[in-house]
Amino acid sequence: MTDRSSAVRRMGVTLAWRPEWPVAVIVVMAWVALIAIHASSSMQGAHAAHVGAAAPTALLAAVGGWALVSWALMSVAMMVPVTLPAVRHVGLNSIRRRRRRAMALYAASYVAVWVAFGVLALVLVAALRSTGPDERLLVLGTLVIAALWQLTRWKRRAVVACQRTVPLPPTGWRADAGCVRFGVRQAGRCVVSCGPLMLLMAVIGHGNLVVMAALTVGIVAERRTSIRGRLAVPVGGALAAAAVWTVLFSGAT
Amino acid sequence: MRRDVWGLQADDPWDPITEAYARAVAVMQARPITDPTSWSYQAAIHATFAAAPPGAVWNDCQHGSWYFLSWHRMYLYYFERIVRAAVQSIGGPADFAIPYWNYDQPFPNNTLPQPFREPTLPDGSPNPLFLPPPSRRDSIANGAQLPPAATSSSAAMATTNFIGPPGPGFGGGVLPPTHFAGSAGALEQTPHNVIHVLVGGNPSGQCQGGLMVDPRCAALDPIFWLHHANIDRLWNRWLALDNGSANPDETAWLDQSFTFRDETGAAVTLTGAQIVDSAEQLHYVYDDQPPAQDMAVSMNGTFPTPREPAEPPEMVAATEQTVDLVGDARSIQLTVPPSTVSLLASDDVRTGARALYLNVEDIEAEQNPGVVYVVFLNMASDDPGADRARHHVGNVTLFGIEQMNDPDAAHPGVPGLRHTFDVTRVVGELNESRPVGPERHHRDLRTHHADAATRPGGSHGRRRGNGCRRTRADRPRQPLRVLRDHW
Ligand SMILES: [Cu+2]
C-alpha cells in the first residue's frame, strides 16, 4: 500500500516536471491513427495522394478534405515531437492555473502553421503532378532539394533559433497572445528548418510510415544533439543516399 | 602551489614569481602564432577573430553551460605548464605556478595588482603585464577599487546544486539542452563575468578596445589567467563546503573531453573525470586551501534550499512585457496573478522553506555594451539613501553575447542569455521589516512597482530582458530594480 502510494507520488513528480505529457499522448494517438489509416487503405488498394492528379480543377478537391486531415495527422506525428521541449517551457513558465491552456494554445498555433504549409505544399505537388513528369523525377527532385537544404546556413540558423524563447506574460489576453506568438514563431523556424523534408512527405504521401518514422527520428536527433555534434550533414547524406536509391530502383515509392 | 598575487607583492610589487610570469609572457609573445605554445595561439584556443589553421582547436571556450569550470581548469592547467617551461628556460623559479587575483578582499586587493600597472619591469624593459589604453577600463587600470557586489562569490557559494536551471546552480546548465536552455552558473555570472566586463571596459572589434570584455580577446590580457586561477580556486572552495556541494556525476559531464596543447606543442586531451581533483590529478593546490570543516561550520544549515527539488519551480509572477534597456531609467513591474497570491502568503514562503527564484530571461543584444546591470528588489529609485546591499539580488552581464547570435560559432551556446537568482534571503529580510496580512496582499500586488535605472551608454547597449520573472513562491510587494552601474 505504501509502496503503491509512493510510486504514485514519484509518478506525480515525474509528470510535474513534464507538463507536456498530454501533448505527447496526442502525438502517439496521431501515429496510431496514421497506422490505422495505412492498414485500411492498403487493404482497399486506394491512396488519397494519387486521387485526381490529372485535372487542374480536381487539384483543390484532391488537396481538400481527406488529404488535409491526413496531412494534419502527419504534422502532429512528425513535427510536434521536436517541439515538446518548447511545450514544456510554456507549461513551466505559465502560472499553474493556466498551464494546460497555455500549452494547448501553443501547440494549436504551431500545428496550424504546419497545416497552412501543408495546403501550399499539397497544391504545389498536385500542380506539378498535373504537368505530368515522371513520379520518380518528382521524388528525386524533392530529395535533392531536401539534401542540399541540410547544408545551408539558413538551415543551421533555424535549428539554433528553435532554442530561442520569447516572453510569456502571466495573465489575461497578453498571456494567450504570448503563447500563440511563440507557437507561430517556433513553427516558422521549424518550416525553415524542416520544410523541404515535409515537402518530401507531400510528394510521397502519408502512406510511407517507414520514411515518416525515419524523418521524425532524424529531425528530433538533429535538434537535440549539441551544436558541437551537428547532425544536419549526416541527415543530408541520408537523403542523398535515398535520392541515389530512387534513381537505381524505380517505382520503389 | 598557486599563490595570492597580492600576497606576493606585500613588500615589493616585483616578487620573483610575478616577474617570472612577466618575462615568460614576453617569451611567449615573441613566438609566432603558428607555435601552439605562443601567446596568441593560447589566447585563440579560448576564442579569436582569426580563422583556425588546420589541426588547431580554436574558439573552444565553454561559457554558459556546466562545462565552464572544467574546460577553464584544463585550459589553465596546460597554459601554466607552458608558462612554467618558459620560466625555466630563462632561469626563473622552478616551482612556478600561476598566481591568482583574489579581488574579493579589502583594499588594495580589490584593485588591479601593481605589476599590471607598471609600464616597465625593474630593469627598465617593457612590462608585458601592462596594457596601454584602451585595452583595459581606464578607472581599473589606474587602480580604482572593484565594489564588493561585483567581486563577491557569496551568491555562488550559497548554491547547493552544481547544475542549474532550474534554480540557481554553481556550475551552469546542462547542454545539450534537455532543459531547453543552457545557462551560466552562479560563479560564472559573479564574479567571473562581472570582472571580465569591469576590467575590460568598452569592447571594440578585432581586439582594438577592451580585451577582457570580449571572449575573443580576453585571454590576450595577462590578468585573464590570474582571474581564472581565482575562479578555479573558488570552485575548490565551494566543493569543500559542507552544504551538499558536489560535482555532477553524469557521464556526459565526466566523460566530455576537450583538446589543448602542452608545453611541447603536442595536442593533449582531458576529460571532466580527469580534473575533478586538482591536487591529486593535476598536482597543484592553492595557498589558502582551507580545512574543509572551517567552511562547513559557517555555511551549514544557512540555506534551506533542497538539493533536488521534488517538484518543478512554480511561476508566481512575471513581467507583462519585454523590457528594453537603452540607457534610460526603467521600472520593471511584476504582475502577481490572483491565483498565486495564496502561494505567496503561505508559511513555507514566510519561513523560507520554499526557495524563491528570480529569472531574468531571454536577454538579447547585438553585442556586449561593456556595462554591468545590477538587479535590486523593492528599492525605490528616488531613494538615494537606500541600503543597496539589502536589496541587491545579483548582477547581469552580457559577456559573450556576440557569439550567441552566430549560428556558425563553435560555441554550444543557446541564444538568449538567462540569469537565475536565489532571492529567498533578500525577500525574507525585506519582509521582516514590513510584515503584511493576507488581505493586504491583494491590494499591494496591484500597486507594487519596480524600478530600473540605467545610465546612458553606447548605441549597442540594447538589452532585451524578456521576463524578470519570479518562479517559485514569492512575496508580493518586491519591486525589481535593475541598475546599470557605472563602476
Ligand atoms: Cu573568463
Side-chain angles (χ1 to χ4, degrees):
Chain A
M1 210 49 188
T2 348
D3 274 3
R4 184 185 289 180
S5 65
S6 81
V8 166
R9 211 193 98 73
R10 264 203 310 277
M11 185 70 169
V13 170
T14 307
L15 289 182
W17 278 101
R18 302 195 166 268
E20 77 277 20
W21 68 265
V23 180
V25 169
I26 292 171
V27 169
V28 171
M29 283 161 55
W31 277 100
V32 169
L34 283 165
I35 291 168
I37 292 168
H38 181 68
S40 67
S41 68
S42 53
M43 263 193 293
Q44 292 164 11
H47 202 291
H50 295 297
V51 173
T57 46
L59 286 181
L60 280 174
V63 167
W66 186 234
L68 211 54
V69 169
S70 64
W71 177 271
L73 281 175
M74 204 158 70
S75 300
V76 173
M78 294 181 69
M79 288 299 140
V80 174
V82 81
T83 203
L84 284 176
V87 178
R88 183 194 310 171
H89 174 84
V90 170
L92 292 180
N93 284 280
S94 298
I95 60 170
R96 185 181 287 270
R97 170 176 293 212
R98 292 186 57 96
R99 276 185 185 169
R100 291 272 163 95
R101 176 192 177 93
M103 290 189 293
L105 279 171
Y106 170 85
S109 5
Y110 178 90
V111 171
V113 171
W114 272 111
V115 169
F117 174 84
V119 171
L120 293 177
L122 290 173
V123 167
L124 177 72
V125 169
L128 284 174
R129 271 211 186 94
S130 69
T131 63
D134 188 337
E135 184 68 18
R136 249 195 322 161
L137 200 64
L138 201 59
V139 174
L140 181 67
T142 326
L143 273 172
V144 169
I145 290 171
L148 289 177
W149 186 252
Q150 292 292 115
L151 307 177
T152 63
R153 197 162 191 270
W154 298 299
K155 164 82 188 184
R156 283 202 301 277
R157 221 173 239 286
V159 170
V160 172
C162 279
Q163 296 169 13
R164 196 159 267 196
T165 52
V166 301
L168 296 174
T171 52
W173 66 269
R174 278 217 185 92
D176 290 343
C179 296
V180 170
R181 199 184 318 122
F182 189 36
V184 168
R185 198 183 280 198
Q186 286 292 93
R189 288 160 179 162
C190 216
V191 165
V192 172
S193 138
C194 311
L197 293 177
M198 285 305 271
L199 202 59
L200 182 66
M201 293 314 299
V203 171
I204 65 177
H206 66 267
N208 203 325
L209 290 171
V210 177
V211 174
M212 277 178 59
L215 285 181
T216 308
V217 169
I219 291 166
V220 171
E222 167 182 286
R223 193 77 57 80
R224 292 298 187 84
T225 47
S226 78
I227 296 165
R228 286 181 151 258
R230 285 192 182 115
L231 275 183
V233 173
V235 170
L239 291 168
V244 172
W245 189 76
T246 311
V247 174
L248 294 181
F249 305 94
S250 60
T253 51
Chain B
M1 175 182 297
R2 294 183 182 169
R3 303 170 181 87
D4 181 348
V5 69
W6 274 103
L8 291 174
Q9 53 181 295
D11 308 317
D12 174 359
W14 292 110
D15 178 89
I17 295 284
T18 326
E19 188 173 346
Y21 179 52
R23 295 193 182 280
V25 171
V27 169
M28 289 174 69
Q29 285 176 344
R31 294 171 181 159
I33 192 169
T34 48
D35 180 347
T37 66
S38 69
W39 188 255
S40 37
Y41 189 107
Q42 284 294 308
I45 291 175
H46 192 260
T48 177
F49 285 96
V57 182
W58 284 5
N59 291 306
D60 201 34
C61 67
Q62 306 292 311
H63 293 104
S65 89
W66 63 341
Y67 297 122
F68 166 73
L69 289 167
S70 52
W71 187 88
H72 282 87
R73 169 168 290 182
M74 301 170 191
Y75 183 42
L76 192 57
Y77 170 69
Y78 281 112
F79 172 82
E80 184 178 55
R81 283 173 54 154
I82 292 168
V83 175
R84 186 181 298 128
V87 163
Q88 287 165 359
S89 75
I90 52 176
D95 67 338
F96 176 86
I98 294 288
Y100 62 88
W101 176 23
N102 182 7
Y103 23 70
D104 193 21
Q105 292 286 322
F107 182 85
N109 300 49
N110 59 358
T111 64
L112 188 68
Q114 200 65 42
F116 293 79
R117 294 188 238 155
E118 305 280 345
T120 56
L121 292 173
D123 65 2
S125 59
N127 173 14
L129 306 185
F130 172 84
L131 296 181
S135 300
R136 291 179 186 139
R137 186 181 297 270
D138 281 344
S139 56
I140 301 297
N142 293 323
Q145 298 185 49
L146 292 161
T151 59
S152 173
S153 58
S154 60
M157 291 297 167
T159 58
T160 51
N161 290 332
F162 187 96
I163 296 169
F170 184 79
V174 175
L175 282 176
T178 49
H179 286 283
F180 200 74
S183 181
L187 187 69
E188 184 178 345
Q189 288 167 9
T190 303
H192 170 264
N193 286 355
V194 173
I195 296 296
H196 267 284
V197 171
L198 292 184
V199 172
N202 294 317
S204 162
Q206 306 288 331
C207 307
Q208 298 305 303
L211 298 185
M212 280 283 274
V213 70
D214 187 330
R216 292 164 292 190
C217 321
L220 290 169
D221 186 336
I223 198 66
F224 171 93
W225 306 93
L226 281 73
H227 172 38
H228 269 278
N230 191 49
I231 297 298
D232 189 68
R233 180 185 68 92
L234 292 169
W235 182 14
N236 277 354
R237 289 190 77 106
W238 179 73
L239 287 171
L241 299 179
D242 188 23
N243 65 350
S245 60
N247 287 325
D249 51 12
E250 282 87 344
T251 50
W253 187 82
L254 290 169
D255 294 348
Q256 179 67 51
S257 67
F258 295 103
T259 300
F260 302 88
R261 297 296 183 126
D262 69 8
E263 64 276 17
T264 68
V268 278
T269 297
L270 281 176
T271 66
Q274 289 173 318
I275 56 98
V276 285
D277 188 336
S278 59
E280 278 295 311
Q281 296 171 307
L282 304 178
H283 311 295
Y284 70 82
V285 292
Y286 290 94
D287 62 0
D288 72 332
Q289 215 128 308
Q293 304 88 319
D294 286 5
M295 299 292 286
V297 173
S298 63
M299 303 297 291
N300 200 12
T302 312
F303 299 96
T305 314
R307 179 166 159 71
E308 286 293 337
E311 296 212 335
E314 186 171 340
M315 167 79 73
V316 292
T319 51
E320 293 282 348
Q321 279 165 312
T322 295
V323 176
D324 282 347
L325 291 183
V326 292
D328 301 321
R330 284 302 311 266
S331 282
I332 303 170
Q333 185 166 344
L334 290 159
T335 302
V336 184
S339 66
T340 61
V341 170
S342 60
L343 187 59
L344 296 175
S346 69
D347 279 346
D348 280 356
V349 172
R350 218 187 320 275
T351 58
R354 289 194 81 168
L356 311 181
Y357 303 144
L358 187 143
N359 288 349
V360 182
E361 295 179 328
D362 297 341
I363 303 169
E364 294 179 0
E366 272 168 36
Q367 80 172 64
N368 185 351
V371 293
V372 176
Y373 296 89
V374 193
V375 185
F376 297 100
L377 262 179
N378 210 13
M379 189 168 80
S381 58
D382 51 4
D383 181 5
D387 178 2
R388 288 166 53 142
R390 196 172 146 79
H391 300 267
H392 185 224
V393 164
N395 308 315
V396 173
T397 66
L398 279 60
F399 182 65
I401 200 162
E402 307 89 354
Q403 293 181 315
M404 301 206 137
N405 302 322
D406 182 2
D408 300 323
H411 281 247
V414 175
L417 287 180
R418 168 213 288 253
H419 287 60
T420 299
F421 304 107
D422 189 332
V423 294
T424 315
R425 183 190 59 78
V426 173
V427 170
E429 285 182 10
L430 292 175
N431 279 336
E432 256 171 45
S433 60
R434 292 175 69 190
V436 283
E439 323 81 47
R440 283 198 52 208
H441 271 305
H442 213 171
R443 210 157 7 118
D444 291 338
L445 297 177
R446 304 192 171 278
T447 55
H448 88 259
H449 71 287
D451 303 304
T454 66
R455 293 193 155 249
S459 56
H460 297 292
R462 185 158 198 268
R463 185 196 125 213
R464 224 186 75 190
N466 140 31
C468 299
R469 53 183 50 150
R470 290 180 278 181
T471 52
R472 279 275 174 138
D474 192 16
R475 292 297 285 267
R477 303 157 52 79
Q478 270 73 44
L480 174 79
R481 185 162 192 217
V482 178
L483 189 77
R484 203 180 98 182
D485 221 328
H486 50 99
W487 292 334

